[in-house]
Amino acid sequence: MDCYGISLVETRQVTSPAEAAQAASDLGGKIALKALAPGLVHKTEAGGVRLGLSGFAETQFAAQQMLDQLESDGFHASGFLVQPMIPEGLEMLVGVTHDPVFGPIQIGRASCRERV
């Protein structure tokens, strides 16, 4: 994406609340924490996203709460994404898959919205 001038948010993928806390501590500042679980498509609605977390303890606590909530809802969380909070701008979401016959194709829809 860099070759097209599209910057991506630094992302750390971790497997436990303790690792999420350490990643948050390493990144510094406010962070976004997102759960990873098979079948979990709408993370925000399922309680799998927390924004504006600060530091080791707050992040570890939030990650454990997420795990507990997702497990009680039937999801088996495999880890977390830890990202720094970014300034306002445009966010673009694109779904892509690799078809054995046609190669890379877009699935679903791409959306671009102004962040608030």
Side-chain angles (χ1 to χ4, degrees), residues 3-63:
C3 67
Y4 294 104
I6 299 172
S7 58
L8 301 175
V9 177
E10 181 178 358
T11 302
R12 308 260 177 104
Q13 186 170 343
V14 299
T15 60
S16 70
E19 288 179 9
Q22 186 59 56
S25 183
D26 293 346
L27 289 170
K30 301 278 186 185
I31 62 108
L33 180 67
K34 302 172 185 178
L36 299 172
L40 181 60
V41 179
H42 302 287
K43 291 177 181 63
T44 302
E45 290 83 359
V49 175
R50 301 281 173 86
L51 303 176
L53 299 173
S54 295
F56 191 97
E58 186 176 9
T59 303
Q60 187 170 22
F61 182 75

Side-chain angles (χ1 to χ4, degrees), residues 40-94:
L40 181 60
V41 179
H42 302 287
K43 291 177 181 63
T44 302
E45 290 83 359
V49 175
R50 301 281 173 86
L51 303 176
L53 299 173
S54 295
F56 191 97
E58 186 176 9
T59 303
Q60 187 170 22
F61 182 75
Q64 188 60 56
Q65 280 186 322
M66 268 189 214
L67 280 180
D68 295 343
Q69 178 64 48
L70 292 172
E71 294 283 331
S72 72
D73 291 342
F75 294 102
H76 177 68
S78 58
F80 303 92
L81 297 179
V82 183
Q83 302 170 314
M85 295 292 292
I86 59 170
E88 291 184 18
L90 294 177
E91 177 182 49
M92 184 172 179
L93 306 171
V94 180

